[in-house]
PDB file of all heavy atoms in Angstrom:
ATOM      1  N   CYS A 603     -17.157 -13.401  90.071  1.00 83.00           N
ATOM      2  CA  CYS A 603     -16.520 -14.029  88.915  1.00 83.00           C
ATOM      3  C   CYS A 603     -16.722 -15.543  88.967  1.00 83.00           C
ATOM      4  O   CYS A 603     -16.863 -16.110  90.050  1.00 83.00           O
ATOM      5  CB  CYS A 603     -15.025 -13.713  88.911  1.00 83.00           C
ATOM      6  SG  CYS A 603     -14.661 -11.958  88.611  1.00 83.00           S
ATOM      7  N   PRO A 604     -16.752 -16.228  87.816  1.00 81.00           N
ATOM      8  CA  PRO A 604     -16.574 -15.662  86.481  1.00 81.00           C
ATOM      9  C   PRO A 604     -17.806 -14.889  86.027  1.00 81.00           C
ATOM     10  O   PRO A 604     -18.891 -15.050  86.575  1.00 81.00           O
ATOM     11  CB  PRO A 604     -16.345 -16.902  85.601  1.00 81.00           C
ATOM     12  CG  PRO A 604     -17.097 -17.987  86.310  1.00 81.00           C
ATOM     13  CD  PRO A 604     -16.920 -17.688  87.767  1.00 81.00           C
ATOM     14  N   VAL A 605     -17.615 -14.063  85.002  1.00 82.00           N
ATOM     15  CA  VAL A 605     -18.697 -13.247  84.478  1.00 82.00           C
ATOM     16  C   VAL A 605     -19.686 -14.125  83.709  1.00 82.00           C
ATOM     17  O   VAL A 605     -19.285 -14.955  82.894  1.00 82.00           O
ATOM     18  CB  VAL A 605     -18.132 -12.154  83.549  1.00 82.00           C
ATOM     19  CG1 VAL A 605     -19.251 -11.415  82.854  1.00 82.00           C
ATOM     20  CG2 VAL A 605     -17.266 -11.201  84.348  1.00 82.00           C
ATOM     21  N   ASN A 606     -20.967 -13.949  83.961  1.00 82.00           N
ATOM     22  CA  ASN A 606     -22.006 -14.726  83.283  1.00 82.00           C
ATOM     23  C   ASN A 606     -22.648 -13.873  82.197  1.00 82.00           C
ATOM     24  O   ASN A 606     -23.763 -13.374  82.341  1.00 82.00           O
ATOM     25  CB  ASN A 606     -23.062 -15.195  84.289  1.00 82.00           C
ATOM     26  CG  ASN A 606     -22.496 -16.119  85.344  1.00 82.00           C
ATOM     27  OD1 ASN A 606     -22.046 -17.215  85.047  1.00 82.00           O
ATOM     28  ND2 ASN A 606     -22.504 -15.673  86.585  1.00 82.00           N
ATOM     29  N   ASP A 607     -21.926 -13.693  81.078  1.00 83.00           N
ATOM     30  CA  ASP A 607     -22.433 -12.810  80.029  1.00 83.00           C
ATOM     31  C   ASP A 607     -22.982 -13.553  78.819  1.00 83.00           C
ATOM     32  O   ASP A 607     -23.451 -12.924  77.873  1.00 83.00           O
ATOM     33  CB  ASP A 607     -21.353 -11.823  79.587  1.00 83.00           C
ATOM     34  CG  ASP A 607     -20.095 -12.515  79.080  1.00 83.00           C
ATOM     35  OD1 ASP A 607     -19.997 -13.744  79.218  1.00 83.00           O
ATOM     36  OD2 ASP A 607     -19.218 -11.827  78.550  1.00 83.00           O
ATOM     37  N   LEU A 608     -22.953 -14.881  78.824  1.00 79.00           N
ATOM     38  CA  LEU A 608     -23.570 -15.634  77.743  1.00 79.00           C
ATOM     39  C   LEU A 608     -25.076 -15.661  77.932  1.00 79.00           C
ATOM     40  O   LEU A 608     -25.582 -15.558  79.057  1.00 79.00           O
ATOM     41  CB  LEU A 608     -23.023 -17.061  77.694  1.00 79.00           C
ATOM     42  CG  LEU A 608     -21.555 -17.206  77.286  1.00 79.00           C
ATOM     43  CD1 LEU A 608     -21.138 -18.666  77.342  1.00 79.00           C
ATOM     44  CD2 LEU A 608     -21.317 -16.633  75.901  1.00 79.00           C
ATOM     45  N   LEU A 609     -25.816 -15.830  76.839  1.00 75.00           N
ATOM     46  CA  LEU A 609     -27.269 -15.760  76.898  1.00 75.00           C
ATOM     47  C   LEU A 609     -27.846 -16.769  77.884  1.00 75.00           C
ATOM     48  O   LEU A 609     -28.711 -16.436  78.702  1.00 75.00           O
ATOM     49  CB  LEU A 609     -27.855 -15.996  75.497  1.00 75.00           C
ATOM     50  CG  LEU A 609     -29.385 -15.987  75.403  1.00 75.00           C
ATOM     51  CD1 LEU A 609     -29.937 -14.645  75.860  1.00 75.00           C
ATOM     52  CD2 LEU A 609     -29.822 -16.285  73.974  1.00 75.00           C
ATOM     53  N   ALA A 610     -27.380 -18.013  77.830  1.00 72.00           N
ATOM     54  CA  ALA A 610     -27.915 -19.043  78.719  1.00 72.00           C
ATOM     55  C   ALA A 610     -27.665 -18.701  80.179  1.00 72.00           C
ATOM     56  O   ALA A 610     -28.545 -18.861  81.034  1.00 72.00           O
ATOM     57  CB  ALA A 610     -27.308 -20.398  78.367  1.00 72.00           C
ATOM     58  N   ASN A 611     -26.464 -18.199  80.497  1.00 75.00           N
ATOM     59  CA  ASN A 611     -26.141 -17.856  81.877  1.00 75.00           C
ATOM     60  C   ASN A 611     -26.865 -16.599  82.333  1.00 75.00           C
ATOM     61  O   ASN A 611     -27.247 -16.473  83.502  1.00 75.00           O
ATOM     62  CB  ASN A 611     -24.634 -17.645  82.020  1.00 75.00           C
ATOM     63  CG  ASN A 611     -23.855 -18.920  81.785  1.00 75.00           C
ATOM     64  OD1 ASN A 611     -24.391 -20.014  81.945  1.00 75.00           O
ATOM     65  ND2 ASN A 611     -22.610 -18.786  81.385  1.00 75.00           N
ATOM     66  N   ALA A 612     -27.068 -15.649  81.411  1.00 76.00           N
ATOM     67  CA  ALA A 612     -27.748 -14.407  81.774  1.00 76.00           C
ATOM     68  C   ALA A 612     -29.174 -14.660  82.224  1.00 76.00           C
ATOM     69  O   ALA A 612     -29.727 -13.908  83.031  1.00 76.00           O
ATOM     70  CB  ALA A 612     -27.735 -13.437  80.593  1.00 76.00           C
ATOM     71  N   ARG A 613     -29.785 -15.724  81.717  1.00 73.00           N
ATOM     72  CA  ARG A 613     -31.166 -16.049  82.088  1.00 73.00           C
ATOM     73  C   ARG A 613     -31.254 -16.910  83.340  1.00 73.00           C
ATOM     74  O   ARG A 613     -32.346 -17.085  83.892  1.00 73.00           O
ATOM     75  CB  ARG A 613     -31.854 -16.766  80.927  1.00 73.00           C
ATOM     76  CG  ARG A 613     -31.959 -15.931  79.655  1.00 73.00           C
ATOM     77  CD  ARG A 613     -32.586 -16.737  78.537  1.00 73.00           C
ATOM     78  NE  ARG A 613     -33.950 -17.132  78.871  1.00 73.00           N
ATOM     79  CZ  ARG A 613     -34.618 -18.109  78.243  1.00 73.00           C
ATOM     80  NH1 ARG A 613     -34.027 -18.798  77.289  1.00 73.00           N
ATOM     81  NH2 ARG A 613     -35.856 -18.392  78.582  1.00 73.00           N
ATOM     82  N   SER A 614     -30.137 -17.450  83.791  1.00 73.00           N
ATOM     83  CA  SER A 614     -30.171 -18.354  84.941  1.00 73.00           C
ATOM     84  C   SER A 614     -29.512 -17.763  86.180  1.00 73.00           C
ATOM     85  O   SER A 614     -29.601 -18.342  87.257  1.00 73.00           O
ATOM     86  CB  SER A 614     -29.484 -19.679  84.585  1.00 73.00           C
ATOM     87  OG  SER A 614     -28.120 -19.468  84.257  1.00 73.00           O
ATOM     88  N   LYS A 615     -28.841 -16.630  86.024  1.00 76.00           N
ATOM     89  CA  LYS A 615     -28.163 -16.001  87.151  1.00 76.00           C
ATOM     90  C   LYS A 615     -28.849 -14.684  87.513  1.00 76.00           C
ATOM     91  O   LYS A 615     -29.135 -13.873  86.652  1.00 76.00           O
ATOM     92  CB  LYS A 615     -26.701 -15.729  86.805  1.00 76.00           C
ATOM     93  CG  LYS A 615     -25.906 -16.959  86.397  1.00 76.00           C
ATOM     94  CD  LYS A 615     -25.736 -17.937  87.542  1.00 76.00           C
ATOM     95  CE  LYS A 615     -24.882 -19.127  87.104  1.00 76.00           C
ATOM     96  NZ  LYS A 615     -24.688 -20.086  88.209  1.00 76.00           N
ATOM     97  N   GLY A 616     -29.112 -14.478  88.795  1.00 80.00           N
ATOM     98  CA  GLY A 616     -29.713 -13.225  89.244  1.00 80.00           C
ATOM     99  C   GLY A 616     -31.144 -13.066  88.761  1.00 80.00           C
ATOM    100  O   GLY A 616     -31.911 -14.025  88.661  1.00 80.00           O
ATOM    101  N   VAL A 617     -31.523 -11.847  88.419  1.00 89.00           N
ATOM    102  CA  VAL A 617     -32.866 -11.549  87.895  1.00 89.00           C
ATOM    103  C   VAL A 617     -32.708 -10.979  86.495  1.00 89.00           C
ATOM    104  O   VAL A 617     -31.712 -10.313  86.192  1.00 89.00           O
ATOM    105  CB  VAL A 617     -33.610 -10.543  88.798  1.00 89.00           C
ATOM    106  CG1 VAL A 617     -33.866 -11.141  90.162  1.00 89.00           C
ATOM    107  CG2 VAL A 617     -32.830  -9.237  88.930  1.00 89.00           C
ATOM    108  N   TYR A 618     -33.677 -11.254  85.625  1.00 90.00           N
ATOM    109  CA  TYR A 618     -33.570 -10.757  84.262  1.00 90.00           C
ATOM    110  C   TYR A 618     -34.943 -10.369  83.737  1.00 90.00           C
ATOM    111  O   TYR A 618     -35.987 -10.737  84.297  1.00 90.00           O
ATOM    112  CB  TYR A 618     -32.921 -11.801  83.345  1.00 90.00           C
ATOM    113  CG  TYR A 618     -33.856 -12.908  82.913  1.00 90.00           C
ATOM    114  CD1 TYR A 618     -34.568 -12.823  81.725  1.00 90.00           C
ATOM    115  CD2 TYR A 618     -34.029 -14.048  83.696  1.00 90.00           C
ATOM    116  CE1 TYR A 618     -35.426 -13.834  81.324  1.00 90.00           C
ATOM    117  CE2 TYR A 618     -34.875 -15.063  83.302  1.00 90.00           C
ATOM    118  CZ  TYR A 618     -35.568 -14.961  82.110  1.00 90.00           C
ATOM    119  OH  TYR A 618     -36.428 -15.963  81.732  1.00 90.00           O
ATOM    120  N   GLN A 619     -34.935  -9.631  82.641  1.00 91.00           N
ATOM    121  CA  GLN A 619     -36.164  -9.217  81.973  1.00 91.00           C
ATOM    122  C   GLN A 619     -35.910  -9.170  80.470  1.00 91.00           C
ATOM    123  O   GLN A 619     -34.846  -8.739  80.028  1.00 91.00           O
ATOM    124  CB  GLN A 619     -36.593  -7.838  82.482  1.00 91.00           C
ATOM    125  CG  GLN A 619     -37.933  -7.359  81.932  1.00 91.00           C
ATOM    126  CD  GLN A 619     -38.329  -6.012  82.523  1.00 91.00           C
ATOM    127  OE1 GLN A 619     -38.499  -5.030  81.818  1.00 91.00           O
ATOM    128  NE2 GLN A 619     -38.469  -5.962  83.843  1.00 91.00           N
TER     129      GLN A 619
END
Side-chain angles (χ1 to χ4, degrees):
C603 293
V605 172
N606 298 295
D607 58 352
L608 292 177
L609 179 60
N611 294 336
R613 298 177 62 197
S614 62
K615 303 294 182 179
V617 295
Y618 78 93
Q619 185 178 120

